[in-house]
Amino acid sequence: MQTKRWNMQKEQPNHQAIQEAAELLKNGETVAFPTETVYGLGANAADSRAVSKIFKAKGRPEDNPLIAHVATKEQLSKLVSILPDIAKTLLDTFTPGPLTVVLPSNGVCASNVTAGLSTIGVRIPEHPVAQELLKTCELPIAAPSANISGKPSPTTADHVWADLQGKIAGLVDGGPTGVGVESTVVDCSQDIPVVLRPGGITKEQLEEAVGTVMVDPALANTSDNPKSPGMKYTHYAPEVPMWLVAGMPKNIQVIIDRERDSQKRIGVMASTETADQLQADRIIPLGSDLREIASRLYNALRIFKNGDVDLILCETFPQTDIGLAVMNRLEKAATAYVDH
Ligand code: TXA
Ligand code: MG
């Protein structure tokens, strides 16, 4: 399949190109597009044949449900059987934006979107290109991250191209995404909201808006059965093994030196401050605060290639604010955890 690619600026969606992309979606094809978190691979959520093309292109396990994307709250309310007050408050406060709410489905979306669950994840993205595309096609669009399953999520159109070119009908290039980690998934189908996946909206922000918010215990303990089915699969994996290393820069340097002594070439991912204090074969500074680190994380994971380095060492970060999402992704990407 030839993948059609359109280029545009984030703030200036190209109406003609968006129209063409929307036509493909209406015809049951797959189109990748930018959101403020990561690029998504979209298809008509009401059309099970279109949705099955997403699973095929990504190599995604079929028991992992997809998020339905819409432009407005009014459209969102047409996909769920109830909209509890807490969910309304969360939507009013944080959307359009990097939040997904899980609610009882009313069956409008195809059953392969929800992987047969009675609930559906729904989200209103903020990115102007995503907004324009959703408004133009007037459909709920099922869209997981637009990467091959298991690989880091795409934060640029080139990441999508590298993974899915030839396997999807279209790619709308709207430049690099902003937040860099996926939306926060919050189960609002029970009385107390539960964070199933940490993301762009922090637990602290959620609690300020609606009071008590729980975090799925499976996030802390990988042996539990996670409620968000996607959390049980290998995710975000770079090409080479990655160790998460806790401790001060000088402790990290000890490990770098030890591994280099056994002829390994070492890549490092760390905050800019830590990176400045280390010596290795390749060092990627991620930035000076947690927001910046989140926005550069997936690109860094994709930079390290087989043949360039044999092992990546990545610093650990505080699990506050968006650091919770950053550490959640790093723990899934890592092959080992080294503590002192
Ligand atoms: O930021 C994002 O959320 C991006 C952009 C493209 O919107 N999308 C994204 O989709 O990350 P995906 O498919 O890569 O991740 C969706 C997550 C998975 O962990 C999935 O298991 C969970 O949301 N999920 C979806 N529907 C669910 C449901 N009904 N109940 C529980 N978890 C659900
Ligand atoms: Mg994903």
Side-chain angles (χ1 to χ4, degrees):
M1 176 189 294
Q2 274 248 330
T3 303
K4 177 105 205 242
R5 180 167 175 167
W6 306 270
N7 297 313
M8 62 191 72
Q9 303 284 323
K10 177 181 173 189
E11 300 302 339
Q12 281 176 314
N14 175 324
H15 303 296
Q16 173 64 32
I18 295 272
Q19 193 72 45
E20 286 177 34
E23 279 310 312
L24 285 177
L25 288 168
K26 285 191 205 171
N27 289 334
E29 297 298 338
T30 50
V31 174
F33 61 95
T35 80
E36 67 278 17
T37 56
V38 300
Y39 273 74
L41 177 59
N44 179 358
D47 175 351
S48 65
R49 281 188 55 200
V51 170
S52 68
K53 293 180 183 173
I54 294 178
F55 286 94
K56 186 158 177 253
K58 279 182 61 92
R60 180 174 172 114
E62 288 184 4
D63 65 348
N64 190 5
L66 309 178
I67 296 169
H69 295 66
V70 288
T72 64
K73 266 172 260 169
E74 198 196 337
Q75 280 179 302
L76 184 150
S77 66
K78 292 181 181 148
L79 305 179
V80 300
S81 59
I82 27 172
L83 193 52
D85 284 344
I86 285 198
K88 263 191 216 143
T89 306
L90 289 178
L91 291 167
D92 287 342
T93 313
F94 300 112
T95 66
L99 178 75
T100 295
V101 290
V102 171
L103 291 166
S105 169
N106 66 3
V108 165
C109 288
S111 64
N112 53 353
V113 173
T114 58
L117 296 175
S118 60
T119 53
I120 184 161
V122 280
R123 148 157 155 77
I124 306 172
E126 181 181 32
H127 197 289
V129 173
Q131 271 285 330
E132 175 108 2
L133 182 62
L134 292 167
K135 281 188 179 133
T136 306
C137 70
E138 295 181 301
L139 291 169
I141 296 296
S145 49
N147 51 287
I148 295 283
S149 251
K151 288 184 56 168
S153 300
T155 50
T156 68
D158 284 345
H159 295 161
V160 180
W161 195 251
D163 277 14
L164 298 176
Q165 183 233 335
K167 296 180 176 170
I168 60 178
L171 165 59
V172 185
D173 178 348
T177 62
V179 179
V181 291
E182 297 87 341
S183 64
T184 305
V185 179
V186 183
D187 184 354
C188 295
S189 66
Q190 314 291 326
D191 289 343
I192 298 178
V194 183
V195 175
L196 302 182
R197 178 179 72 182
I201 302 292
T202 67
K203 180 172 185 268
E204 292 86 345
Q205 287 176 290
L206 296 170
E207 287 191 317
E208 204 176 311
V210 292
T212 305
V213 171
M214 317 255 285
V215 173
D216 183 1
L219 289 178
N221 177 359
T222 45
S223 67
D224 275 9
N225 229 352
K227 285 208 202 70
S228 179
M231 303 305 275
K232 71 173 184 262
Y233 293 105
T234 308
H235 262 327
Y236 320 113
E239 276 187 21
V240 289
M242 181 174 88
W243 295 356
L244 265 178
V245 189
M248 307 288 289
K250 64 176 190 309
N251 304 116
I252 301 175
Q253 190 65 51
V254 168
I255 298 177
I256 297 172
D257 294 343
R258 190 189 72 200
E259 296 301 317
R260 286 176 105 187
D261 281 348
S262 57
Q263 307 308 314
K264 282 189 195 151
R265 287 159 304 171
I266 307 300
V268 167
M269 287 166 53
S271 67
T272 304
E273 193 190 349
T274 301
D276 285 345
Q277 300 172 59
L278 297 175
Q279 288 192 320
D281 296 284
R282 176 132 200 215
I283 300 183
I284 307 286
L286 293 174
S288 50
D289 62 58
L290 288 171
R291 288 266 154 203
E292 204 172 14
I293 289 165
S295 73
R296 295 190 192 165
L297 183 69
Y298 290 144
N299 187 55
L301 287 172
R302 280 176 180 261
I303 284 176
F304 294 107
K305 300 285 181 205
N306 260 327
D308 292 340
V309 295
D310 303 300
L311 176 68
I312 305 166
L313 301 185
C314 180
E315 181 184 25
T316 58
F317 300 102
Q319 303 206 25
T320 51
D321 297 309
I322 206 163
L324 188 65
V326 169
M327 283 303 293
N328 168 264
R329 308 310 193 264
L330 284 173
E331 279 164 8
K332 288 182 159 287
T335 49
Y337 187 92
V338 187
D339 209 344
H340 296 278

